[in-house]
Structures are given as C-alpha cells and as structure tokens.
Amino acid sequence: MAAAAATLAGGVASFALPPFGLVPLIAALSLPALQLGRAGSAGEAGLIAGAAGFGWFLASLWWISLSLVTGNTGHWPLIPLPLFGIPLLLALFWVPAGVLAHRLGRSAPARVLWFAATLTICEWARGHVATGFPWNAPGYLFSAHVSLLQNASFFGLYGLSFLALLWAFAAAIWKLGLRRMAVVLLLTLPLAALAGLVRLERLPDPPGDTPSKIARLVQPAVPQDEKWNRAARAGHLETLRDLSRDSYPIPQLVIWPETAFAGLLDREGQLFRDTVWSVLPFDGRLITGVPRFDAKKRLFNSAALVTPRGDVEALYDKQRLVPFGEFVPFRRFLPFADAIAGPVDFSPGADDVHFTVPGYGRLRLLICYETLFPGLGARSGERPDILVNLTNDAWFGHTPGPWQHLAQARMRAVEEGIPILRVANTGITAAFDGAGRQLGVIGLGEAGFLDIAVPPGFEPSVYSQWREVILLVMLVIFCSTINRLDRKGSLGQ
C-alpha cells in the first residue's frame, strides 16, 4: 500500500511540470517523503522513493511510447516496453536517494531533508550517466512563469531542482512538527518569483524590428508518416521553399528544422542544391537539418550552413544522441532493435562547432534533445551570440512532449542569457530572448514561417560562469547544517 500511494503521489506531483504548470501539486511528494522519513529500514525507504519516481515519470513521459506507432508502423505490441520500461529505468535513480537519506538521517525530519539533497544529486546523475537523460527534472517546475524562470540564470536546472524539492517537502516537515522550518521552506518559491520580477524589471525590453538582424524560422508541418515518403518529397521540399520566400524581403538568415531535407546530403547533393538555390537573397545563409554519411560510412544527424548556391559552408554533427531513437545500446542482443531505431545507428559528433553568419555573429547549434543538457550550448570557446535549436517533434503528436521540449529550450536561453531560435518540423517553433520572454511562436502542428528580430544577449549569467559550483556550495552548507542539527537532536525524533 505504501508503494502504491507513493506511486500515485509521484504521478500527481508531475503535473507541476510543463505543459500543465500546476505548481502546488508538487507538494504531493510530501507523502512519499513522509513515508520515507518514517520507514523502518533503508530498503523500505529506497522502495518508497523508487515508487514515487516511477509515478513521476510514468505520468509525465507516457507519450514517448507513441513514437513506436507514429506513422502506422504496426509496432503496437512493443508499446509496454517504453511505456513502463523508461519510467522504471529512470526511477532507479530515485532509489539510492531514498536509501542514502534513511541511512544519513537519525530522525524522520532529518531523513526528509536529506532526501531533498540526495535526490538532487541523483537527478544530476540522471543527466550524466550513460549519456544522460535529464528530461522532466523537478527544476522544470520553474518554467510555470517567466518570473520563476529567471532563477535559472543563477541556479541552473539542478539548483532549481533542489529548491523545488525543498518546497515540495514543506508539508512533510510541517507534519513532523518543524513548523517554523516548514514556513521557511514554503517561502522558497514566492521569494524566487519576487527575485525574478526584480530581475525582469532591470532588464531592457526586447528591441523592435531591426532589419539587419531578422531571422526567418520555417515550420513545414510534414506529418511523420509522410516525411520519408519519396513520392511525396517533391511536394514537401516545395512547401519549404514557398514558406521561406512567402514574404519579401527575405531575411539574410533562414532556418529550417531537423532533417528538413529528407535525404542524404552526401548522396543527393544536386537535389539539395536545387532545393536551396532559389530561397535566399544573394548574400543570405540557410541553416537546415540534414542526415549524411561521412567518408568512413558513419551516419550523422547534422546541421548545415548553406550559401545561396547550395554550397555547404559548415557542418555540425549532433553530439548527444537519443538512446533507442538514434542508436540502440547492445543492439545485437535486441531482436526488435531495427523496429525501434532503424537498421543503422547514428554516430555522435566529436566537435563543438559554431556557425559564423555575417551580421548575426556566432551561432551554436543544438539538434533535437540536445536542449536537455545545461551548459552544452556554451561550453567551449567564445560565447555564442545566438542558440539555434533544430528539432522534429512529429513523433509525439498532440501530447505533453512537444511542450516539455519547448520549456527545456527556453530554460537553456535563461541559463546562458542568450536568445534561442527554435525551429520544429511538426512541433512548436518559437523564439525567446535571454530572459525567456517569448518573441514569437508557430503553434503545434501548424505550417508557417516566423520573422524574428533577434535581440542581443545579456551579460554572462552567474550560472554560465560558475555552473554547478553554486549547487555544490548550497548542498555542502545544507547537508552540514542538517547533520549538525540532527546529531544535536534539534530536529526531533
């Protein structure tokens, strides 16, 4: 019964995340936290934590299973694998958090407080172990409002996760008798929102149209079951061209989404050039997603910077690949691998590449779910002027998935203080300034284009300069304080 209640509580709490943003519901995590604090053993505490994590991920990531049947693939029998397997795998990161919290805390309140710290650490690990999958970390609760979101510029995703968990466990701390501490924890989010409002007041408003720095974002909205249909490709490419030149003057930067050219760059170069040549002004540039094989026959999910004549000026190869989407771990042991990810695995790119576009500066490309990873957009070399995210969310239809993906891209902009241009095939195309303020949007599944006056970035944020050092300092101070109070018996028994 305890595990079932924890699972239900985890599922309810996940509705605090995008797209729902029902922030108070994260307090449902106080139930498993209270159960954990009163657990009779570390094993029981780990089971409760894992059950809460399973509910959290099952309720917020169920839509991933739809990718198996998008496009009438007929893979319905495989749906239980991602539907239950992915939440179960991700929930395993919550188990050691519960075990450690129980062992480190002497009293029930101490165990609850330790759980906030250990779960934050395990969530950080989830973003790094085996390439990482930090989707739907508790810190995305701060995406509910632009004022809360400003705190990402200081704490980053994992620091925000720590703050979200402290707020979530306030009810459990109150129930255990530490009412003053509970009030302090409850003030976490209101104070964070107030700090965000103060920051927004001090930031300049996004500029109006500046013709020298307009980017055109093109969303063709090609259904996934038609995307690789060779008979329909000519029409899809014509749609891309028509949308790109629908309104004059055409900006000097046009951006198409991930795999917008549904062919291989190395094998269909002439068709690629024919598609591009009539789109751009004489001195413009196009950025588009396109798959390609290299000279070693390795397959890459790439972005290309293209001249008006269709010549490729620069390439960026996606570095963070989607497990079981773009490659299959232990492929030879899985008979259904081809059905899930196709017969050939993509290879990860090795280098950080910035596209330099005259008049726009340095652009850092993030392909698809690379926007999940804090710091990836500005981790080496000179700081980019613009983040560009190319994606295709057609796999997931009208589910929470595209909205969650959008919220992640938005938080990356705030963490770095750099505007982001997000271009989707079938999803949500949008642009945000370095404070996460929306500059424009094309709705889910709609075909169209969007001309964006690209604003300058802000000064490097605190988070962009210190990264997780801030979180580390917070955890050291918090854990040492809890340990000292617990040993003194000040947290109760």
Side-chain angles (χ1 to χ4, degrees):
M1 285 296 294
T7 301
L8 179 61
V12 170
S14 72
F15 282 87
L17 300 173
F20 306 103
L22 302 175
V23 173
L25 290 185
I26 200 172
L29 288 179
S30 270
L31 175 60
L34 190 61
Q35 293 174 321
L36 184 150
R38 293 171 171 172
S41 67
E44 182 184 351
L47 176 62
I48 290 168
F54 180 74
W56 175 275
F57 294 114
L58 179 63
S60 64
L61 289 175
W62 59 267
W63 49 267
I64 290 180
S65 61
L66 295 184
S67 63
L68 289 179
V69 294
T70 299
N72 300 316
T73 60
H75 296 146
W76 285 99
L78 296 176
I79 278 185
L81 289 173
L83 180 61
F84 299 108
I86 290 175
L88 181 61
L89 183 63
L90 299 179
L92 292 178
F93 285 91
W94 289 37
V95 173
V99 171
L100 284 171
H102 191 277
R103 290 184 174 176
L104 291 170
R106 296 183 174 187
S107 63
R111 290 167 181 166
V112 172
L113 294 170
W114 271 112
F115 188 40
T118 56
L119 186 52
T120 298
I121 294 169
C122 288
E123 279 292 285
W124 176 89
R126 182 166 69 88
H128 292 80
V129 173
T131 75
F133 189 73
W135 200 293
N136 282 358
Y140 283 115
L141 168 153
F142 282 78
S143 297
H145 193 272
V146 68
S147 61
L148 284 171
L149 188 60
Q150 299 312 301
N151 294 275
S153 67
F154 190 87
F155 297 104
L157 173 62
Y158 300 111
L160 295 183
S161 292
F162 183 46
L163 297 179
L165 291 170
L166 288 175
W167 194 86
F169 296 162
I173 293 298
W174 180 282
K175 180 68 175 176
L176 292 170
L178 299 182
R179 296 190 173 182
R180 290 183 180 178
M181 182 178 291
V183 170
V184 171
L185 297 181
L186 283 172
L187 290 174
T188 302
L189 290 191
L191 290 175
L194 180 61
L197 287 173
V198 171
R199 180 176 190 261
L200 284 172
E201 285 294 322
R202 294 177 176 177
L203 293 176
D205 292 330
D209 290 355
T210 51
S212 63
K213 207 171 184 179
I214 300 289
R216 178 164 294 177
L217 318 184
V218 178
Q219 178 167 293
V222 176
Q224 189 60 33
D225 58 351
E226 298 179 14
K227 186 170 178 59
W228 296 97
N229 183 343
R230 286 293 186 264
R233 183 167 64 172
H236 298 158
L237 295 179
E238 188 60 33
T239 296
L240 273 171
R241 286 194 293 264
D242 288 346
L243 290 172
S244 301
R245 58 194 182 194
D246 186 76
S247 177
Y248 286 89
I250 299 173
Q252 290 179 303
L253 179 60
V254 177
I255 307 177
W256 292 352
E258 180 185 16
T259 60
F261 181 79
L264 293 167
L265 178 61
D266 56 299
R267 300 179 183 179
E268 299 174 280
Q270 188 58 52
L271 176 61
F272 180 80
R273 286 187 289 273
D274 291 344
T275 301
V276 170
W277 76 268
S278 62
V279 168
L280 299 170
F282 75 95
D283 56 348
R285 294 294 186 277
L286 169 74
I287 295 175
T288 182
V290 57
R292 70 183 185 93
F293 282 99
D294 70 355
K296 298 180 180 179
K297 305 300 181 184
R298 297 177 300 177
L299 180 61
F300 292 97
N301 186 354
S302 302
L305 178 64
V306 189
T307 68
R309 297 181 60 183
D311 297 324
V312 175
E313 208 168 50
L315 283 168
Y316 167 73
D317 299 318
K318 185 178 180 184
Q319 296 174 299
R320 298 292 184 98
L321 301 177
V322 182
F324 299 100
E326 292 171 312
F327 76 100
V328 180
F330 313 110
R331 173 183 282 272
R332 61 179 178 173
F333 300 108
L334 300 175
F336 49 81
D338 287 4
I340 295 176
V344 181
D345 286 338
F346 282 88
S347 297
D351 300 320
D352 290 334
V353 176
H354 290 87
F355 289 174
T356 300
V357 179
Y360 296 82
R362 297 167 60 85
L363 279 58
R364 176 62 161 96
L365 274 291
L366 298 169
I367 299 178
C368 189
Y369 103 137
E370 287 186 318
T371 53
L372 271 67
F373 299 95
L376 184 62
R379 68 180 182 180
S380 64
E382 292 184 41
R383 186 169 182 253
D385 299 292
I386 305 171
L387 301 176
V388 177
N389 175 215
L390 310 183
T391 190
N392 175 27
D393 293 341
W395 294 99
F396 308 115
H398 289 256
T399 68
W403 295 99
Q404 292 171 4
H405 202 183
L406 178 71
Q408 292 159 1
R410 186 186 187 193
M411 187 173 284
R412 300 294 86 79
V414 180
E415 286 172 343
E416 305 298 337
I418 300 172
I420 189 166
L421 307 178
R422 183 180 194 268
V423 189
N425 167 42
T426 302
I428 306 167
T429 290
F432 301 97
D433 73 354
R437 294 173 294 194
Q438 185 174 287
L439 305 174
V441 65
I442 302 175
L444 180 60
E446 299 176 8
F449 73 92
L450 192 62
D451 283 352
I452 296 295
V454 184
F458 301 120
E459 291 296 316
S461 67
V462 173
Y463 176 75
S464 70
Q465 297 177 76
W466 292 95
R467 300 300 179 195
E468 311 310 338
V469 171
I470 295 170
L471 173 62
L472 179 62
V473 171
M474 291 169 59
L475 288 174
V476 168
I477 294 173
F478 179 82
C479 293
S480 60
T481 301
I482 297 307
N483 185 58
R484 184 173 66 254
L485 294 175
D486 192 27
R487 288 181 179 277
K488 290 181 176 179
S490 300
L491 296 177
Q493 299 298 325

